[in-house]
């Protein structure tokens, strides 16, 4: 059996694809042959140009995943464009920073709604299609180092990403026999909007860099290989893992 990372003929739905890690993942999947359904809150022109430059078909869907309201529309539109959704990348996520002692209910609920609740129900809706036609699929959740570690000043984020790691394992157990691979990627410290506050804090920024064995922050493109691998047939027997892509952070 030859090993293939080719995604030709597959349709990948990527949430939060307008920028950062989601954009880089969409482009990597496009470069490997997948058609892209890009879900996001804001304009996805740049992602569209990059994916089309790679020769991919591209369909943007504007949606706010802070509630479950758009989920049926996203799945219906995505499946119509792509015939079916073969690959789902749950990348959209937010973070709120404040000391745990004064953390607000709003900062708790806002983060949980996007990072965990909408992720679960979008995944459920996509998986129903994958199970109904019997062809299975690949689901990739974007977890975090805070799926393994505590961190500081980000209680709802740590709870959501630790929860997402657990959910990845549960869904893998329920759906592995249905031909669906559910796995997660845990990015380390990457240069995106999500880490802007950290990078603007000279002390925290230096502490973080000093602990990364690779000696640099991650660039969004560093995630592409892991995403393509987990989306491809090369990963057909991989279920329920949370794969760190972290420059060696967790090995330290
Ligand atoms: P980012 O802030 O640049 O991107 C977040 C994406 O999520 C954006 O596309 C944004 O539009 C989308 N999003 C947020 N709320 C949304 C909503 N209500 N509806 C629809 N889309 C919404 O940051 P990023 O670093 O690219 O983050 C992508 C994912 O990677 C997130 O889940 C984040 O937690 C995770 N992550 C990032 C890092 C890092 O170092 N940058 C590390 C670990 C995990």
């Amino acid at each position: 059996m030859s090993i293939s990372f080719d995604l030709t003929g597959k349709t990948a739905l990527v949430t939060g694809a307008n920028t950062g890690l989601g954009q880089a993942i969409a482009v990597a999947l496009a470069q490997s042959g997948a058609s892209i359904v890009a879900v996001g809150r804001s304009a996805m022109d740049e992602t569209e140009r990059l994916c089309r430059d790679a020769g991919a078909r591209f369909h943007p869907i504007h949606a706010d995943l802070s509630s479950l309201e758009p989920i049926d529309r996203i799945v219906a539109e995505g499946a119509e464009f792509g015939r079916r959704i073969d690959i789902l990348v749950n990348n959209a996520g937010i973070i709120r920073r404040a000391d745990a002692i004064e953390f607000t209910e709003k900062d708790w609920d806002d983060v949980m709604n996007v990072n965990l609740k909408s992720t679960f129900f979008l995944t459920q809706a996509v998986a129903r299609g994958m199970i109904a036609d019997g062809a299975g699929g690949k689901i990739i959740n974007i977890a975090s180092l805070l799926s393994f570690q505590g961190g500081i000043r980000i209680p709802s984020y740590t709870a959501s990403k630790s929860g997402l790691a657990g959910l990845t394992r549960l869904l893998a157990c329920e759906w592995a026999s249905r031909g669906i691979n559910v796995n997660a990627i845990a990015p380390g410290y990457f240069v995106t909007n999500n880490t802007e506050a950290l990078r603007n804090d000279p002390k925290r920024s230096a502490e973080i860099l000093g602990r990364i064995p690779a000696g640099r922050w991650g660039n969004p493109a560093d995630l592409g290989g892991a995403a393509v691998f987990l989306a491809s047939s090369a990963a057909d027997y991989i279920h329920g893992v949370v794969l760190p892509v972290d420059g060696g952070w967790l090995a330290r």
Side-chain angles (χ1 to χ4, degrees), residues 15-22 39-42 63-66 90-94 114-115 142-145 157 161 186-195 217:
T15 66
N18 53 301
T19 183
L21 304 185
V39 178
R41 277 181 308 184
S42 40
D64 181 348
L65 287 166
S66 59
N90 288 308
N91 166 79
I94 58 172
V114 177
N115 294 15
I142 302 305
S144 166
L145 296 179
Y157 187 79
K161 294 298 185 178
Y189 287 87
F190 279 69
V191 180
T192 68
N193 300 329
N194 176 288
T195 55
W217 286 60

